[in-house]
């Protein structure tokens, strides 16, 4: 579950936000004029997300291959 905060607040309190990102590992949605504009995440959590995506893509590829064989 990500949290929301304004881009202005993120800029004013960057250190606090970065500490929270590292501690929780959860992404944060930054808003501009109340509208979601960008998502920030700590590097370690982002890397884990990429690894999970690679794994899921590999599993999907194997499933497609097995279906083709059938």
């Amino acid at each position: 579950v990500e949290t929301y905060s304004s881009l202005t607040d993120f800029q004013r309190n960057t250190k606090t936000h970065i500490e929270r990102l590292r501690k929780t590992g959860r992404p944060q949605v930054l808003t501009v004029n109340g509208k979601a504009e960008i998502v920030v995440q700590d590097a370690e959590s982002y890397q884990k997300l990429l690894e999970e995506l690679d794994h899921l893509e590999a599993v999907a590829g194997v499933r497609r291959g097995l279906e083709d064989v059938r």
Side-chain angles (χ1 to χ4, degrees), residues 26-49:
R26 294 181 176 164
Q28 185 169 10
V29 178
L30 302 182
T31 61
V32 176
N33 297 322
K35 181 181 176 188
E37 290 290 330
I38 191 165
V39 176
V40 292
Q41 187 173 26
D42 72 293
E44 183 179 343
S45 296
Y46 180 70
Q47 185 60 42
K48 287 179 185 177
L49 180 67

